[in-house]
Amino acid sequence: MFGATQPAPATARMARSGRSEWQSTCAILTSKVVSQEQSESLPIPPVSSGVDHVSAVNGNHSAARMNLVPIEKSDSNPLVLQQHRQKPLSMSDLSPAPKHGSNLRVAYQGVPGAYSEAAAGKAYPNCQTVPCDQFEVAFQAVELWISDRAVLPVENSLGGSIHRNYDLLLRHRLHIVGEVQLPVHHCLLALPGVRKEFLTRVISHPQGLAQCERTLTKLGLNVAREAVDDTAGAAEFIAANNLRDTAAIASARAAEIYGLEILEDGIQDDASNVTRFVMLAREPIIPRTDRPFKTSIVFAHDKGTSVLYKVLSAFAFRDISLTKIESRPNHNRPIRLVDDANVGTAKHFEYMFYVDFEASMAETRAQNALAEVQEFTSFLRVLGSYPMDMTPWSPSSSSSSS
């Protein structure tokens, strides 16, 4: 009546074929396991820490270092897993990465104690910071999967824009995924026992020197100003070389890390000294409309700056506020003659224009504005659409810098 149904001849052949392929696959896996055990019995050559770190990041461990599930043999079954097997993957293992910066590797330019490190900690609390000696290295650290994010300064309320990073934003293919504004509190640091009247020079990042220029003059310091790669690096340099005639402009945290004393606290020319940082990632984030967003673009036109008015009107017509306009020379075509016949004597610089505006790319008005901008420009690129930093602002203080 309801007995088992016999398979058709063709179905039976397919079942036997599938079973034979499965047995063949098992045989191949068995041979690989045996060779794996043999290779594990051989000594493993030492690997330098640098190479091992890169291979770990890229997932290129050798077979002997992959921590595979150990396999033992028995007479009844040649392949019996040990009782302590690896836990199978579950849906929780495939959940999104932890929020608030947990377990993220964040690259920044400078050494420990730099303001960029503080910005990375504010953007991604509990993250693992990765110091880089140059801005370009921070970009490449993300591109090569050594870091998950990069936090880099783009402008300061006193010193203006960090032009180097604007150029690097265009050169690399990373995406802006957020911003953070950090109050900057500068201190004059020196070795213990050094007095201000014995100083002959002050070193710091060019932005640090520019942000404290008037205060240094008011202090009566007739010293040379020398620029170095970063503020905390200046403090580290003084401590490493025991320079008793040199002071650094850096944070209070840098003084604590490198064993320096604070000769003067809060020497920035304005208490409202704020640096804006952007967070960069390999992939963009999905724009949303449930919170304030900002979008950054860069564009150019082969007919010069006459198109700028039309571009700005595309945003003004849709009531989109622009928060920044930055022009940088176009490195691909730096000079343009007055006329196309190349007979004129006057020349104009060709520019790339960087624009930040307060709207999300998920909004129709932003999409329509960029569609109109694209009609007027020869080059247009969206650098990122990301949440605005809405944290309450307060003047810089020693507590905020540390």
Side-chain angles (χ1 to χ4, degrees):
M1 294 175 59
F2 296 100
T5 305
Q6 297 295 328
T11 305
R13 287 195 300 271
M14 292 177 62
R16 289 193 297 270
S17 175
R19 181 176 180 82
S20 63
E21 292 179 358
W22 178 81
Q23 291 174 335
S24 176
T25 302
C26 287
I28 294 174
L29 291 175
T30 303
S31 64
K32 289 184 176 181
V33 169
V34 174
S35 62
Q36 165 72 19
E37 291 179 338
Q38 294 175 350
S39 63
E40 287 180 348
S41 63
L42 298 177
I44 302 174
V47 182
S48 63
S49 59
V51 175
D52 181 64
H53 173 68
V54 174
S55 63
V57 171
N58 296 325
N60 295 326
H61 288 293
S62 63
R65 300 176 61 86
M66 288 178 64
N67 194 24
L68 297 177
V69 178
I71 296 177
E72 64 179 8
K73 301 177 183 179
S74 66
D75 297 335
S76 59
N77 189 351
L79 291 176
V80 179
L81 295 179
Q82 291 182 350
Q83 293 181 355
H84 302 288
R85 293 177 293 181
Q86 285 184 336
K87 180 183 176 182
L89 289 176
S90 64
M91 289 300 296
S92 62
D93 298 317
L94 305 178
S95 61
K99 297 181 179 180
H100 308 299
S102 177
N103 299 328
L104 283 177
R105 296 183 301 272
V106 181
Y108 70 93
Q109 188 273 330
V111 297
Y115 294 105
S116 293
E117 183 194 36
K122 181 180 179 181
Y124 301 105
N126 303 319
C127 69
Q128 177 187 350
T129 55
V130 180
C132 303
D133 61 352
Q134 301 176 35
F135 290 128
E136 176 112 24
V137 175
F139 277 83
Q140 293 180 355
V142 180
E143 291 176 331
L144 298 176
W145 294 75
I146 296 174
S147 296
D148 304 297
R149 300 285 189 274
V151 174
L152 297 169
V154 290
E155 58 181 328
N156 176 265
S157 57
L158 297 180
S161 299
I162 291 86
H163 296 138
R164 174 61 175 166
N165 283 337
Y166 277 98
D167 294 338
L168 291 173
L169 282 172
L170 189 60
R171 181 181 303 176
H172 295 267
R173 300 299 299 181
L174 299 182
H175 303 268
I176 302 177
V177 296
E179 68 171 0
V180 61
Q181 298 181 11
L182 183 76
V184 176
H185 186 90
H186 287 308
C187 301
L188 187 67
L189 312 179
L191 289 172
V194 171
R195 299 168 57 181
K196 288 184 294 184
E197 52 265 31
F198 296 139
L199 296 176
T200 61
R201 64 172 177 170
V202 174
I203 61 176
S204 187
H205 186 273
Q207 287 280 333
L209 294 172
Q211 294 163 21
C212 304
E213 179 63 32
R214 294 201 311 268
T215 303
L216 291 177
T217 302
K218 290 179 181 179
L219 291 174
L221 295 179
N222 185 20
V223 295
R225 278 80 156 168
E226 294 184 12
V228 295
D229 289 339
D230 64 278
T231 55
E236 181 187 42
F237 182 75
I238 291 175
N241 294 276
N242 195 31
L243 302 177
R244 304 195 65 83
D245 63 342
T246 305
I249 296 176
S251 66
R253 172 171 161 76
E256 179 182 353
I257 292 176
Y258 302 108
L260 303 183
E261 287 186 350
I262 298 178
L263 301 181
E264 292 289 340
D265 190 16
I267 64 171
Q268 61 275 1
D269 292 339
D270 190 342
S272 305
N273 186 17
V274 179
T275 297
R276 175 173 171 250
F277 296 79
V278 293
M279 293 98 84
L280 305 176
R282 290 179 292 272
E283 299 294 337
I285 61 174
I286 299 176
R288 295 157 52 181
T289 58
D290 59 345
R291 61 169 297 179
F293 259 65
K294 182 183 291 185
T295 301
S296 298
I297 65 172
V298 56
F299 64 87
H301 196 272
D302 53 12
K303 293 184 180 180
T305 59
S306 60
V307 74
L308 183 59
Y309 173 80
K310 297 178 181 178
V311 170
L312 298 182
S313 65
F315 295 101
F317 177 75
R318 295 168 177 86
D319 197 25
I320 298 177
S321 298
L322 273 61
T323 59
K324 183 176 179 62
I325 302 176
E326 178 77 21
S327 62
R328 295 289 295 149
N330 188 342
H331 298 297
N332 294 327
R333 186 183 177 186
I335 298 292
R336 178 176 61 90
L337 296 178
V338 170
D339 51 60
D340 295 333
N342 292 337
V343 296
T345 56
K347 300 178 177 64
H348 296 299
F349 278 101
E350 287 288 330
Y351 293 99
M352 308 289 293
F353 292 94
Y354 294 81
V355 172
D356 295 342
F357 59 89
E358 294 182 349
S360 170
M361 283 302 297
E363 299 181 55
T364 303
R365 60 173 184 157
Q367 298 171 10
N368 292 338
L370 290 190
E372 183 175 342
V373 170
Q374 195 168 16
E375 296 178 2
F376 303 136
T377 58
S378 58
F379 168 79
L380 173 63
R381 176 179 162 190
V382 177
L383 298 173
S385 188
Y386 47 92
M388 295 175 57
D389 183 4
M390 304 298 293
T391 56
W393 180 87
S394 61
S396 61
S397 63
S398 58
S399 59
S400 64
S401 64
S402 59

